[in-house]
Structure formats: C-alpha cells, structure tokens
Amino acid sequence: MPSPTVVEVEQNVFCVTGTDVNWVLLREGTDLTLIDAGYPADVPAVEESIRSIGRRPEDVRAILLTHAHIDHIGAINHFRDKYGTPVYMSAVETSHAKREYLEQAGEMDVVKNIWRPGMLRWSLRIARAGATRHVTVPHAAEFPAAGALDLPGTPLPVATTGHTSGHTSYYLPSVGAVATGDSLVTGHPTSRTVGPQLLLPMFHHSQEEALASLDALATLDADLLIPGHGRTQRTPIRDAVATVRERAAGKNGSART
C-alpha cells in the first residue's frame, strides 16, 4: 500500500490519509490518541504515520473508534495484539464491533451502484485493502467515563448516530476541531461533490437519522472539520452542517427544520 499522507492540521493534531480513508493522531508529550485505524492493509501505514511524527506505535494510549466499518477498524486488532492498546467507542457500537450485528454496505450494494462514477475503481482499490475481510473486535469496550476522556487531546465523544447506530464524533475544544468520522465528510471517490456532505445512502444504516444527528455537531464551537473521508476544512462547523442540509434538501425536494 502507498505511504500515508500526514498533515498537522493544528498543533499536535494530525490528519492522516490512507486507502481512501482518514485517521487522526492526537499528540500530548510522548503519548498519543489514535482515532480510527484504516483498512486491514493500512496497518503498516498507521504505524508509519505514528513514526513520522516522532512517536512509536506503543505510545498510543488508546484507540477511539467513530464506528465499526471495515475501513476504520483495520489496525485495531494488530495494536491490541502487539502493544496491548485498548479501544473505546460508544456502548452501542461495541456490539457492532463484535459483529453481534452488521450495519455496513455489502458487495451487492456496491454491485447495484457500480454505474456511479468512481464506484468501480474505488471498489477494486478497497478490495485490495481488505474491504471484504471479516474482522471483529472482540475486546471492544465502551468509553471508560462520561464526558471528555482522560487521553491525549482530551477528546469529547459526541453521539452522531445514523451512519451506524452507535456512531460517535470527537470534539477537540482546545483547538476548535471535530473529528466527524463518517457522520459528515468532505469528499469520497464515489462522489463528485466537493465540500461538506453526507455519504451516499448505501453507506448509511439510516440516512434520515444521520441527517438529524447533525444537530449535535452544529452546536459545537469548532471551525476545523476533520472528516473520515475527504480533506480537512476550515469552516465553522455550523456552516458545514448548513451546507449538508441544503444539499440534502436539493436532492430530496424539502428541507429539514
């Protein structure tokens, strides 16, 4: 797999792009928090991204998961097995990570949408990255405490359900940023839209709930959007949410109020 692209978007906050997906590194002294973990084939890229900012994989104090789709959990078991790294997520998402149920686009969903621009190339690329592997996270654990977490970056979990039933974004108030995972993205190989948007309906467990959960993001005092897919964007998060709603209204013919 190609080397990751590592960008320090705020002091000690890094957005890393692997195989068409991002993960986030929060650095505090010698310690790190990792938010999401790429595809299974991105394991070397995750480790490389950590070393590129002067740290070691064993410096990751915890992995925080936005949601348990294959493109976000790829390196988790490797870190657990090799370094003993714990992984935390919402209580609902732990069941998803353990594959007690699955809320993820399948091969038939891709086949039905293969006519869309970019879909075929993207599907072939992610297949090589391990998209069809069956991966579970048996040690998935819910957040150890309510509110901001005692981890590098002091991330605050924000429930943004809809993409999956337990999807979580992470607010970083000290730098005015929010890691939105797949609740709000700025681009995707299967989309010709550039800027704040929802992923295609095939990727969401409930697109209606995903749109409604943007309320939680709109209240945050943040002007840096760090998405799970696409480039980071400097804009008030409430404006990004407004853009998504306008685009959704244009497609659906009516706006949500």
Side-chain angles (χ1 to χ4, degrees):
M1 304 306 291
S3 294
T5 301
V6 183
V7 179
E8 188 170 13
V9 293
E10 273 289 353
Q11 187 173 10
N12 293 317
V13 178
F14 302 84
C15 179
V16 187
T17 302
T19 307
D20 295 323
V21 68
N22 300 331
W23 55 89
V24 180
L25 290 165
L26 309 177
R27 184 175 62 188
E28 190 173 297
T30 60
D31 294 338
L32 298 172
T33 299
L34 171 62
I35 301 176
D36 288 341
Y39 280 100
D42 282 325
V43 171
V46 174
E47 291 206 342
E48 182 181 342
S49 69
I50 291 169
R51 293 189 174 98
S52 76
I53 65 171
R55 306 301 340 132
R56 306 168 303 161
E58 50 265 48
D59 294 330
V60 176
R61 294 296 163 252
I63 299 173
L64 300 180
L65 194 64
T66 59
H67 64 292
H69 283 169
I70 188 64
D71 54 332
H72 296 260
I73 66 174
I76 285 177
N77 288 334
H78 168 79
F79 271 72
R80 172 72 174 191
D81 294 343
K82 189 168 184 178
Y83 308 113
T85 314
V87 57
Y88 300 119
M89 63 203 72
S90 72
V92 172
E93 202 66 11
T94 60
S95 298
H96 190 201
K98 294 173 183 178
R99 292 302 185 250
E100 295 173 9
Y101 62 88
L102 181 62
E103 296 175 344
Q104 180 172 285
E107 293 178 18
M108 285 308 300
D109 296 297
V110 174
V111 170
K112 291 176 182 178
N113 287 273
I114 205 67
W115 58 271
R116 293 183 181 275
M119 185 68 72
L120 179 58
R121 289 186 178 182
W122 169 78
S123 64
L124 294 173
R125 192 162 55 245
I126 66 167
R128 292 192 295 270
T132 60
R133 296 185 197 175
H134 178 70
V135 178
T136 67
V137 185
H139 57 281
E142 64 181 283
F143 300 123
L149 301 172
D150 185 19
L151 291 169
T154 321
L156 175 65
V158 178
T160 46
T161 58
H163 184 66
T164 66
S165 294
H167 189 288
T168 301
S169 299
Y170 295 94
Y171 177 40
L172 309 173
S174 64
V175 293
V178 57
T180 56
D182 287 5
S183 64
L184 193 164
V185 302
T186 62
H188 193 271
T190 63
S191 172
R192 290 297 173 260
T193 301
V194 177
Q197 61 189 282
L198 292 182
L199 290 168
L200 291 173
M202 63 175 275
F203 294 117
H204 297 296
H205 175 61
S206 170
Q207 187 176 23
E208 181 178 354
E209 186 178 347
L211 188 59
S213 71
L214 295 177
D215 288 345
L217 295 178
T219 65
L220 301 177
D221 183 16
D223 60 6
L224 176 60
L225 168 60
I226 310 175
H229 301 274
R231 296 183 177 182
T232 58
Q233 186 166 333
R234 286 279 181 188
T235 186
I237 190 68
R238 61 182 176 275
D239 291 351
V241 168
T243 297
V244 173
R245 287 179 173 154
E246 289 170 5
R247 285 173 167 164
K251 292 178 180 178
N252 300 333
S254 62
R256 180 184 177 275
T257 58

